[in-house]
Amino acid sequence: MKITNVRTICLKYNYKKPIMDALSTIDSRQCVIVLIDTDEKITGIGEAAYFGGPTISTKTIIEKELKPELIGEDPFKVEKIWKKLFSTSYYHGRRGLVLTCIGAIDVALWDIIGKYCHLPVYKLCGGYRDKILAYASGGYYQEGKNIQELVKEVQGYIEKGFKAIKMKVGRNKNLPLSPLEVITHNQGTISLEEDLERVRAVRKAIGKDIYLMVDANNSWTPSIAIQMGREFEKLGIYWLEEPVQTDDIRGSKRIAEALDLQIAGYESEQGLFGYRELIVRQAVDIVQPDPTWVGGFSEAKKIAHLAQAYGMLCIPHSYNSAVSVKINSHFIASISNSQMIELDRNFNPLRDELLLDPIEIDPEGYLHLSEKPGFGVELNENTLKKYAVED
Ligand SMILES: [Mg+2]
């Protein structure tokens, strides 16, 4: 089998009212879908994680730089192709958008292999579980959203069957070293005490038997994270996510040592080499490599296995379109040291309308793996047309 073409599709949905985490104001949902065609009439589908900047940057790297390296290659030779792409882009790649693009291609190759073998990828690559506990990822900030609305939101997740919920914390601009002080699109900020009130109100509303996690999106210093972490421990928080900046490995280690609370991170780290430092230096308790972001399904598996050797859980970030949720479900189902899948609950038609067979959870809060070949992704052509953008 030979690769004959590589294509990208950029999609965008604009929010009428932005949502916010500790660091970002999110005014749209965007994604870049990658399609790899072969001479066997099998097309592999992947996704490159989108987190800011114009999607044409991603499209250009994939179509202008990586595609010429792929034409004529055998898609089964995943390790060889990965090394070829990584090595040829080395001097301006290694991390960042280039590695994300390599990862999108790696993912699409695994989709081709699964389709060729008539097997779902998770069974090809480990087959540890057929269903995964889903956690509702929400509790964002929004202009005018008060604690009562936040509580109503999380109660809605419980009614739908979720047994685990994650909410945002950390949008506290008036703290030392806050990244918000220089971000020009910055709107809204609250105090640490108000953040604690939000978490206390959610815990009270959902009871103590539901997993509750908090995500600070890289916004705190180690000492603030430790002070907040001590309060979170009293509330039975299951993990504190990305308390400090991704590169502050010493700071994260200090937090992990100071608290019994699990530290999860860092979705914004990439590659096996990047995660090696977090793992070996024990700066986290839970690693969160998203295959569409860290450099592919292959790279995410290697990270999960290294984490396993250190007794760590691997519970990946999963936020983008329905394609990335599918990819993450196969990743989690293929490894033994995982536990849950992140299901973003913010309104997103690129998640809910993108597949012919939309992602759903059962009444107990589990997502079931598809037995369709590859990642089981069947795109809805009408949705692609409706949200397609050039850049
Ligand atoms: Mg996160």
Side-chain angles (χ1 to χ4, degrees), residues 135 137 166 168 215-217 241-242 267 288 317 342:
Y135 76 81
S137 191
K166 189 171 80 186
K168 295 298 184 186
D215 186 355
N217 288 96
E241 182 166 321
E242 290 199 313
E267 67 196 39
Q288 301 186 295
H317 165 275
E342 178 172 18

Side-chain angles (χ1 to χ4, degrees), residues 47 82 98-108 291-297:
E47 176 171 357
W82 197 98
V98 176
L99 191 54
T100 299
C101 294
I102 293 171
I105 287 159
D106 175 276
V107 163
T292 68
W293 198 351
V294 296
F297 194 84

Side-chain angles (χ1 to χ4, degrees), residues 15 17-29 137-146 150 153 166-173 180 183-190 195 198 215-217 219 319 344 346:
Y15 277 138
K17 195 171 174 185
I19 56 171
M20 291 169 277
D21 62 23
L23 191 61
S24 313
T25 298
I26 302 159
D27 58 9
S28 68
R29 300 303 293 259
S137 191
Y140 280 63
Y141 303 98
Q142 197 168 35
E143 209 182 330
K145 181 176 173 181
N146 58 27
L150 172 67
E153 177 193 335
K166 189 171 80 186
M167 62 179 287
K168 295 298 184 186
V169 293
R171 198 168 179 86
N172 322 117
K173 183 184 173 185
L180 283 176
I183 292 179
T184 49
H185 61 250
N186 161 35
Q187 353 167 320
T189 178
I190 66 169
D195 246 352
R198 291 169 65 250
D215 186 355
N217 288 96
S219 61
Y319 175 80
D344 168 37
N346 292 299

